[in-house]
Amino acid sequence: MTLSDGTGTAAGLPAQSPPVEPAQTGAAKSPRIGWGGENSENTIRNLVLVGVLVVLIAIGAFTQPQLYSDSTWVWNNILSILQLASVIGVVTVGMTFVIIGGGIDLSVGAIVALAGVWATTVATQSYGAGGMIFTAIVVAVAVGLINGVLISYGKLVPFIATLAMLVAARGLAAEISDKQTQISDSAFINGIAAGKLLGIPLLVYILAVVATIGWVLLNRTTFGRRTIAVGGNVEAARLAGINVKRHTMLLYGLSGLCCGIAAIMLTSQGTSAQAAMANLYELDAIAAAIIGGTLLSGGRGTIVGSMLGVIIFATITNLFAINGLSTEAQNMVKGGIIIAAVLVQQFRFKAVTRFLHRNKT
Amino acid sequence: MTGPGDVVLRLTDVVKTFPGVRALDGVQLEVRAGEVHCLLGQNGAGKSTLIKVLSGLHRPDSGTVEWLGQPVTFSNPQAAMKAGIATIYQELDLVEDLTVAENVFLGHEPKVAGFVRRRAMVARTTGILGRLGHGEIPPRRAVHRLQAAGKQIVSMARALSHEARLLIMDEPSAVLAHDEVENLFRIIRELTAQGIAVVYISHRLEEIRTIGDRVTVLKDGRTTAADLSAAETPTSELVSRMTGRTIEYVFPPRVAAPAERAELLAVDGLSRAGEFTDVSLTVAAGEIVGIAGLVGSGRSELLETIYGARRADTGTVTVAGRRLPPGNVGAAVRAGLGMAPEERKSQALLLGEPIYRNMTLSTFTRIARLGFTSARRERDEADRVARSLDLRPSDVGRPVRTLSGGNQQKVVVGRWLLGDTRLLLLDEPTRGVDVGARAELYRVIHRLAAEGVGVLLVSSEVPEVLGLADRVLVMREGRLIRTASAGELDEDTVLDLVMAGSLMEGTPI
Ligand SMILES: Nc1ncnc2c1ncn2[C@@H]1O[C@H](COP(=O)(O)OP(=O)(O)OP(=O)(O)O)[C@@H](O)[C@H]1O
Ligand SMILES: [Mg+2]
């Protein structure tokens, strides 16, 4: 598509004063190069992330050629990477919304633990799998909404409110479980993580469904638009008539909902729950979102990017595992990647657009 | 050393492109010491881009910039400032959380052994503010607590804090009230008398006639006229050089004088401590009511309070017979109110988002079906408004960030032309909008009124209030001191009322 050669503009001019020459000839000269707003930038960014993923896989193939020569192993390895990404991926969907909305949620790991523990008490388990799932979701959403109320109506800084919630929720989880590991007796719950459909683990399907719903919610619904508006310019959103407080509260509730789903997945994976589960998930989720291009200051980010961020992290973990390297080294590499991602976020897009432009004109 | 009248700055064939736009397409400019050189051009002509090239914010793609006889390229604003070029940007660029003094001396704080000399900094700030006629602004106050005009004064103080030989001002008068503009001119004259060159950008031709020496006209990124006399060139020539067509800069006549119409807005005894006191007013359907007053007289605060963006201490706002809950913008919007706020960047726009999404920011919920948004329908609606306001470029998929200042303003006003606004609150709606588009905007406002929309308008430009409104309210120090039909008032009377209140006795409301 190109800008019209002035005829479009001319239509808007008063009839009694026709333009002597086409208006805005300057703009009309060069073709429009995908200025679909943020979309083109997002596409570029996501392609870069896919490139990073390819490089990581190439490193794997290079360091372990004999493993990679076995196609069954490769397929299974891909599945195990995706399975590794599934729980944190679900948490990251909620986190992405919160960050785009201009906030941060440090309590996600703690909410997962509290929901998991609450769902596996003897009392809850007596209601069966349905009762456990219901409990996990309700507990997690409730805690998320408490975060939201504290932040939007109590005017607490998100960082502080959710940090306090992190401590409190883990404390409550330890209290409820008496610091014991609670075994899940539900065959249904335990079967989720073990189950496969068409050879692909059920947990991967759950992530796919949650991420798809998240994508639709962000890109195609008024809820998503409000999220972007509130995070992009909170005063402008307020003056446009958006109920900023209620929306902020709902965002944390949404993050809680994702944590509730993750709690069931994680409980199923370990066939148990304990107060220390999902440790440091908040860091992984925030890091994945940032690597995926979500602006920490809010107003911008994509679900696709966040999911690529999660998968990149899972691939790194997997890479270290197949090479028998320590988790310490792995954490250092992850830290480096986060810093690189933020630096790149600041510089890359100016450079890329400039480059594209040079080539077109 | 250059004497008065020598050329200090010369631009030859300067080109600057952005993705998809040739913002500058061969600009020539020559500025002499001690002159006020005016840059004229429509919204999007490239004026701001040009001064950003001069001040080191943008690097030109090609062409030469000669400063004091030497070809230069400034790689950043600091370099330009060091060389003696100070700039007041169109979009305020202050650090909101720092104090006035810290902003004024940002980047060149007076220091001893690495420590900032706070007391000296505050003292010098007080001095500069005093020179600007605004000794009342406390140097230690955080900038975000100032109103728009106050912020403008601070950025002016910042430019003056440098020992500049060229001062560039990009629409400095846009946020200033009448008397402050006078004040600004006094300062400009002082500076030019010292041999300092001034580049002055404004869409108000009468200002250019008063203060300018020579004029350069830009159109679509090219110099279409240079070395025109600011005082003598006929308006028609300036306008046709800018636009390539002739526009009468007049207020279109009202289609029909409003007959007896239903009362739409009733404000009763509205007060907010320290801002305005006991304000009562009404706006009928199809009526345009203008509020005249100085910056700081409480006009913007009043508008924001009616809209629910601020919570009234006492008093009520009634729309079509229904009381609005105080401090609730959502309820006001649902009742059919819309407000174009004073500061577009901080109060109205999502700069990174496309134009159409900014236009539909208050209507996307209504355009959506079952909570699902539709980019196509939103674009169609935005396209319609973009055409009626002559938005340039007209492609509504562009990020708002890439629009020129005047075009961003059109987006802010255009937002409320979508949907079913019944009462429009406009705070400085034509700020930074060029002559041609201004006429479009006036036409649109009249059309809305003809359709039965009530309009409450705040403007620092008295002719705009008088020309546009049916009824004028004069506000001073937070009180309404006079109501009259626009025909009964003239510019001088309003200015007298606004400033001294000399006619106050004998003609109470
Ligand atoms: N960062 C940018 N990216 C892309 N296009 C831009 C950018 N900045 C400006 N432009 C485009 O360059 C052109 C010139 O803009 P500029 O801001 O210089 O206009 P102006 O003469 O200052 O207008 P106004 O009177 O409205 O302030 C416009 O078409 C604008 O859309
Ligand atoms: Mg400009």
Side-chain angles (χ1 to χ4, degrees), chain B residues 304-317:
Chain B
E304 288 183 11
T305 308
I306 293 173
Y307 189 56
R310 294 171 189 243
R311 203 190 183 92
D313 295 339
T314 55
T316 60
V317 177

Side-chain angles (χ1 to χ4, degrees), chain A residues 24, chain B residues 18 23 42-49 90 171 203 402 404-406:
Chain A
Q24 197 72 12
Chain B
F18 293 113
Q42 280 181 290
N43 294 134
K47 304 179 296 295
S48 297
T49 308
Q90 181 174 14
E171 301 194 29
H203 289 291
T402 67
S404 75

Side-chain angles (χ1 to χ4, degrees), chain A residues 1 3-4 8-9 11-14 16-33 35-38 41 216 219-223 225-226 228-229 232-233 235-242 299-300 353 357-358 361, chain B residues 17-22 25 44 61 219-220 222 244-246 307-309 329-330 333 339 341 345-350 352-353 357 360-362 364-365 368 371-373 378 387 390-395 397-399 401-402 415-416 440 443:
Chain A
M1 201 190 135
L3 282 175
S4 72
T9 324
L13 294 175
Q16 75 272 29
S17 54
V20 171
E21 53 186 287
Q24 197 72 12
T25 42
K29 261 183 211 145
S30 43
R32 207 173 70 112
I33 47 146
W35 255 124
E38 306 299 296
E41 287 184 20
V216 172
N219 296 298
R220 292 283 184 271
T221 70
T222 54
F223 184 90
R225 284 290 287 286
R226 277 194 279 275
I228 294 167
N233 185 343
E235 182 68 2
R238 191 174 77 95
L239 291 182
I242 293 171
R300 195 156 129 194
T353 38
H357 183 50
R358 287 268 157 77
T361 42
Chain B
T17 50
F18 293 113
V21 179
R22 246 175 135 76
D25 191 16
D61 298 347
K219 177 174 184 298
D220 298 335
R222 278 191 214 109
R245 57 196 168 111
T246 48
Y307 189 56
V329 176
V333 171
M339 183 177 79
K345 206 167 162 186
S346 65
Q347 294 187 295
L349 294 172
L350 302 170
E353 290 284 294
R357 287 184 163 206
T360 57
L361 190 61
S362 52
F364 67 81
T365 312
F372 285 90
T373 54
E378 286 184 31
R387 268 200 309 274
D390 191 16
L391 190 76
R392 290 150 190 251
S394 55
D395 168 15
R398 272 174 173 278
R401 166 170 42 81
T402 67
R415 175 176 302 161
W416 300 105
E440 297 296 321
R443 222 184 301 270

Side-chain angles (χ1 to χ4, degrees), chain B residues 34 48 50 53 82 108 185 326 358 419 509:
Chain B
S48 297
L50 178 63
V53 166
K82 270 223 182 80
H108 65 119
F185 287 176
N358 273 280
I509 42 172

